[in-house]
Amino acid sequence: MSDKRLLIYLDDHLALMVGERELAARCHRSNQEGRLGDFLKNLEQELADQERILKDVIHKLGGKEGLESMAKQGAAWFAEKLGRFKLNDAWLQYSSLSRLVELETLAAAAQERVALWENLMDVAEGDRRLAKLDLAARRDESKKHLRGLNGRRRKAAAEAFGAK
C-alpha cells in the first residue's frame, strides 16, 4: 500500500470536509429556527468531530499538516465563501433557492464522506495503525447525514419551486 497516495487522498477529503463544515455553518446561520436549524447545528458539530478524527488518521499514518494541506483547506474555505455570490432569484438576500442549493451541496459532500469512511475501513483491514478506530461508526453517521439532508433537500425543492 502506498502511504503517500493514501495521505494525498485523505488530505483532499480533509479539505472537502473543511468546506462542507463551513457551508453547514452558513446554512445554519440562515436557517436557525425549527427542525432544519436543529439538524444543521448538529451536522456542523458532527462534521467538526469527523474532521478531527480524519486529522488523527492522517497523523497515525505519518502525515503532517504542511503547506500543501493548509493550501487545500484554505482553497476549500475560499470556495465556500465564493459560493455565496451565486446568482439566484434574490441577489442580496437568502432565498428558498439558496437553501436548496446548499442542501444539495451538503448531500453530495455527505455521499463523499460515506465513500471516504468505507474506503478507510477497507484500508484498516490490513493496517494495524487504524485498527482501533471505529470507522464504521463514522460511515454510519455520514449515511445518517445523507438521509437527513436528502429529505430536507426534497422539502426545500418543493418550497423553492412551489410544488406540493
Side-chain angles (χ1 to χ4, degrees):
M1 177 179 66
S2 170
D3 280 356
K4 182 178 179 181
R5 286 183 183 167
L6 179 57
L7 288 169
I8 291 168
Y9 173 80
L10 296 177
D11 196 41
D12 289 347
H13 274 277
L14 179 59
L16 286 171
M17 220 178 271
V18 167
E20 182 184 9
R21 182 178 41 78
E22 288 290 322
L23 179 57
R26 179 177 81 198
C27 192
H28 177 244
R29 284 190 301 274
S30 299
N31 298 280
Q32 293 183 17
E33 303 300 319
R35 289 187 206 160
L36 179 58
D38 294 342
F39 174 82
L40 291 167
K41 182 178 181 180
N42 188 55
L43 176 64
E44 187 181 352
Q45 180 57 53
E46 289 178 354
L47 286 171
D49 293 342
Q50 285 197 17
E51 191 178 319
R52 281 190 291 277
I53 291 165
L54 185 54
K55 286 179 180 180
D56 185 47
V57 168
I58 290 169
H59 290 290
K60 284 181 185 303
L61 295 172
K64 296 179 176 66
E65 199 162 358
L67 185 58
E68 181 181 353
S69 177
M70 290 187 303
K72 286 179 186 179
Q73 291 176 46
W77 177 88
F78 181 72
E80 184 280 326
K81 304 304 180 221
L82 191 60
R84 295 177 186 198
F85 296 106
K86 182 192 81 56
L87 297 177
N88 63 31
D89 64 327
W91 271 68
L92 299 176
Q93 56 188 327
Y94 197 79
S95 75
S96 58
L97 183 57
S98 302
R99 179 180 306 106
L100 172 59
V101 171
E102 288 174 352
L103 292 172
E104 278 186 353
T105 303
L106 288 169
Q111 182 63 55
E112 291 290 327
R113 281 188 291 111
V114 170
L116 162 71
W117 298 119
E118 287 177 345
N119 290 335
L120 273 176
M121 289 166 60
D122 292 342
V123 169
E125 288 179 9
D127 193 324
R128 288 187 284 142
R129 296 172 292 182
L130 304 178
K132 294 185 180 185
L133 296 172
D134 191 356
L135 301 171
R138 303 293 70 78
R139 179 210 49 209
D140 294 346
E141 183 177 65
S142 297
K143 284 182 176 183
K144 178 189 78 170
H145 296 157
L146 181 58
R147 284 189 305 275
L149 286 160
N150 278 332
R152 286 160 177 87
R153 171 193 53 79
R154 293 184 72 187
K155 182 179 178 187
E159 290 172 4
F161 306 134
K164 299 207 180 217

